[in-house]
Amino acid sequence: MKLYNTMSRRIEEFVPIKEGHASMYCCGPTVYNYAHIGNLRTYIFEDLLHRTLAAAGYEVRHVMNITDVGHLTGDGDDGEDKMEKSARQAGKSVWDIAAFYTDAFFSDEKDLNIIRPDIVCRATDHIQEMIDLIKKLEEGGHTYTAGGNVYFSIDSIDDYGKLARLDLDELRSGARIDVDSNKKNPKDFVLWFTNSKFKDQAMMWDSPWGRGYPGWHIECSAMSMKYLGDHFDIHCGGIDAIPVHHTNEIAQSEAACGHTWVNYWCHGEFLVNDKGKMSKSSGEFLTLSVLKDKGYDPLDYRYFCLSGHYRSQLKFSYEALDHARSARKAVVEKVAMLKAEATAAENPSEEAVRYMDAFDQAMESDLNAPQALSQLHMMLKSQLPASDKLAAISHMDRILGLKLDEIEPFKEERLGSDEDWALVDERAAAKKAKDFARADEIRQILLERGFVVKDTPKGAILEKKV
Ligand code: AMP
Ligand code: ZN
């Protein structure tokens, strides 16, 4: 299995810390609004990674957080609290808002057939773990308090910014004026706020530094360490997390544990539209519900995401989504036909296995889903017998997750009611007994019911009278 590692900027062989196991942490949703389809692209990429690791035989432990603590739009105490703002607009409590959008998120994930992570952890349930981690950083001399807030000092470590390859000297000389004058270095970040500019801050907890709430990055370090230990295999997110969020997660985690925290950093590129990146804060975003209301199946969107490589930008348009819908529909129809046609399953032939191997190889080469999809199409077009094709489809769908195994075979349309067919059987018995008068009588009754009986080598059939 090969994965592109943002830390090395290279595709590397995946070597797990513990043989046969793969531990992954994915930054989860901020639940002050619906997830937009760009966010969902990132979760589909992470699902592909989970499924590919599992299909390759790894025991996967997948952890995802839910950011239900209010967060400021900026890293200093300068933005608006998104959760508070959303609650105020809806006339609800912040807790209600978080619960509502968390449910909405899981409903989207289910619709998209995304496997639920093994552990889903809420930030608000882990405040103590965050406080403990900040205490550890404080003991290690990595923090300072100013203006009521606890800051992480990036000058207390020597490799700050290594993930994003930030040039700190350039940043410092770039006359970047940070609105937060409490910071010793503009790149320092808050670990704990006690000094909120919001009068009615609803989410507050007691801490050694006073009543307040955690900074933006500490939850991911605290929760990943709790559930995966202080050294684990893979950390994922969207590329926007590289320069600040993941950079700060690394700084505080490695300052606390004193060694490498994560081995592979995997980032998904953006879903874009005509105006650029789809984003939550711009207010202009498409949700899965909008697509459903327009008549798309959520799996059309999943298929659309599979058609692009996760490290390339994917441009959303309804034309492109229509294309994905037609392609998925063609696959679904083909699978239904194969199911109606297939005889008893046998072990797949060597040729079928070759297609499966090529599919696996594509996915294990840094999740090349477009290439894997093309193996599916080539296999469907091949001369393989139906049962072979169905075996290959099952194998591939463990990763594609398009629910191809759940497709019902086409039912052969049978004209006539059970009563009509009882007459057909009676006629056959009458003919066998050479009672042709009764047989003709039944033919007449069926004719009156609108059917013509036809004798074929496979037995009698009914056709509509014209
Ligand atoms: P948020 O709920 O805003 O924290 O975002 C959840 C995830 O979606 C993060 O991993 C982001 O990096 C990712 N994300 C945000 N915008 C996009 C986008 N336009 N395309 C793909 N992923 C995105
Ligand atoms: Zn995170």
Side-chain angles (χ1 to χ4, degrees):
M1 170 104 184
K2 289 191 169 63
L3 283 175
Y4 180 84
N5 190 348
T6 307
M7 189 61 92
S8 65
R9 304 286 196 277
R10 274 202 300 272
I11 291 180
E12 296 177 14
E13 187 67 39
F14 174 65
V15 184
I17 294 168
K18 189 170 166 203
E19 212 190 312
H21 292 254
S23 46
M24 61 191 272
Y25 181 89
C26 303
C27 294
T30 316
V31 284
Y32 64 91
N33 204 337
Y34 293 105
H36 60 62
I37 57 172
N39 301 135
L40 295 173
R41 181 190 185 199
T42 294
Y43 299 110
I44 291 172
F45 136 62
E46 291 159 355
D47 183 57
L48 284 182
L49 177 56
H50 177 148
R51 286 172 180 265
T52 304
L53 287 164
Y58 293 101
E59 177 105 21
V60 179
R61 186 163 161 91
H62 180 169
V63 178
M64 185 184 73
N65 66 307
I66 299 281
T67 300
D68 57 352
V69 178
H71 276 307
L72 306 168
T73 47
D75 195 35
D77 195 10
D78 57 333
E80 264 201 283
D81 184 307
K82 297 170 182 172
M83 195 85 79
E84 302 267 352
K85 187 177 160 194
S86 182
R88 197 172 55 244
Q89 283 169 346
K92 290 185 178 166
S93 79
V94 280
W95 303 95
D96 291 341
I97 289 291
F100 177 84
Y101 289 114
T102 303
D103 287 350
F105 175 76
F106 281 113
S107 155
D108 285 351
E109 287 227 313
K110 189 158 180 272
D111 280 349
L112 290 166
N113 202 21
I114 290 174
I115 295 173
R116 202 177 172 114
D118 304 281
I119 293 172
V120 175
C121 39
R122 281 168 225 278
T124 51
D125 291 335
H126 296 79
I127 301 294
Q128 191 54 50
E129 285 82 352
M130 297 184 220
I131 290 174
D132 291 345
L133 187 55
I134 300 169
K135 279 206 282 206
K136 198 165 176 188
L137 290 170
E138 192 173 43
E139 282 157 22
H142 298 287
T143 69
Y144 60 95
T145 304
N149 298 332
V150 183
Y151 292 84
F152 182 88
S153 164
I154 67 155
D155 294 310
S156 71
I157 56 171
D158 51 21
D159 56 1
Y160 181 82
K162 62 182 172 180
L163 180 71
R165 305 202 170 167
L166 300 178
D167 184 337
L168 296 180
D169 291 336
E170 199 179 293
L171 281 171
R172 235 173 255 137
S173 62
R176 235 181 109 261
I177 299 156
D178 198 282
V179 282
D180 186 349
S181 57
N182 292 317
K183 289 185 183 180
K184 293 183 181 165
N185 183 315
K187 284 277 162 188
D188 289 347
F189 53 94
V190 180
L191 295 167
W192 189 266
F193 289 96
T194 65
N195 190 12
S196 169
K197 70 172 189 174
F198 311 106
K199 285 190 197 70
D200 305 315
Q201 185 78 31
M203 287 184 170
M204 302 255 269
W205 296 265
D206 288 328
S207 85
W209 312 281
R211 200 166 164 71
Y213 56 98
W216 181 24
H217 317 290
I218 196 75
E219 67 178 81
C220 288
S221 295
M223 291 192 277
S224 62
M225 286 188 195
K226 172 167 179 173
Y227 296 109
L228 298 173
D230 63 11
H231 187 201
F232 59 91
D233 296 307
I234 305 169
H235 195 311
C236 306
I239 49 155
D240 53 340
I242 299 169
V244 181
H245 183 53
H246 287 171
T247 286
N248 291 350
E249 279 188 34
I250 294 170
Q252 66 202 4
S253 300
E254 297 193 350
C257 68
H259 54 71
T260 299
W261 174 47
V262 170
N263 286 355
Y264 301 87
W265 286 88
C266 301
H267 294 97
E269 251 289 359
F270 287 144
L271 181 81
V272 296
N273 55 24
D274 288 341
K275 295 181 193 100
K277 180 201 167 198
M278 194 167 287
S279 86
K280 228 178 238 193
S281 45
S282 74
E284 263 184 355
F285 63 86
L286 278 175
T287 61
L288 197 61
S289 309
V290 172
L291 300 188
K292 279 162 73 178
D293 289 347
K294 287 184 187 286
Y296 294 97
D297 187 305
L299 294 179
D300 295 334
Y301 183 66
R302 183 173 174 106
Y303 191 99
F304 169 70
C305 289
L306 290 170
S307 69
H309 190 269
Y310 79 95
R311 280 197 294 117
S312 302
Q313 283 196 349
L314 184 62
K315 187 159 181 189
F316 179 83
S317 69
Y318 282 106
E319 290 78 11
L321 188 59
D322 284 342
H323 194 76
R325 171 161 64 180
S326 311
R328 191 184 73 85
K329 188 165 168 262
V331 172
V332 166
E333 283 171 359
K334 181 81 189 170
V335 174
M337 256 163 59
L338 290 169
K339 283 193 176 167
E341 179 188 325
T343 47
E346 285 163 35
N347 282 340
S349 66
E350 267 179 39
E351 202 189 336
V353 171
R354 265 201 296 279
Y355 280 111
M356 298 184 209
D357 287 347
F359 176 93
D360 290 348
Q361 209 177 3
M363 288 310 296
E364 289 173 25
S365 305
D366 194 30
L367 310 181
N368 196 336
Q371 203 178 319
L373 263 189
S374 76
Q375 287 298 328
L376 169 76
H377 287 289
M378 267 158 40
M379 185 276 297
L380 287 175
K381 281 195 201 116
S382 74
Q383 297 303 314
L384 286 175
S387 58
D388 251 4
K389 287 187 178 174
L390 287 174
I393 286 163
S394 280
H395 179 90
M396 295 176 183
D397 205 47
R398 289 180 308 163
I399 294 178
L400 297 174
L402 294 169
K403 298 192 179 176
L404 300 178
D405 267 346
E406 292 173 25
I407 291 165
E408 292 277 332
F410 286 138
K411 296 231 172 21
E412 265 189 61
E413 215 185 322
R414 201 175 95 145
L415 285 177
S417 64
D418 287 350
E419 228 175 280
D420 298 327
W421 279 93
L423 285 169
V424 173
D425 291 343
E426 194 192 330
R427 176 177 167 272
K431 275 178 71 176
K432 207 169 169 194
K434 303 208 180 326
D435 183 355
F436 297 111
R438 177 66 187 148
D440 282 348
E441 202 179 6
I442 293 172
R443 171 185 288 279
Q444 201 53 39
I445 299 170
L446 284 165
L447 209 55
E448 278 156 29
R449 290 176 171 225
F451 299 109
V452 177
V453 192
K454 265 205 174 161
D455 292 307
T456 75
K458 283 185 176 171
I461 56 161
L462 291 179
E463 280 182 1
K464 262 214 165 81
K465 189 175 83 179
V466 280

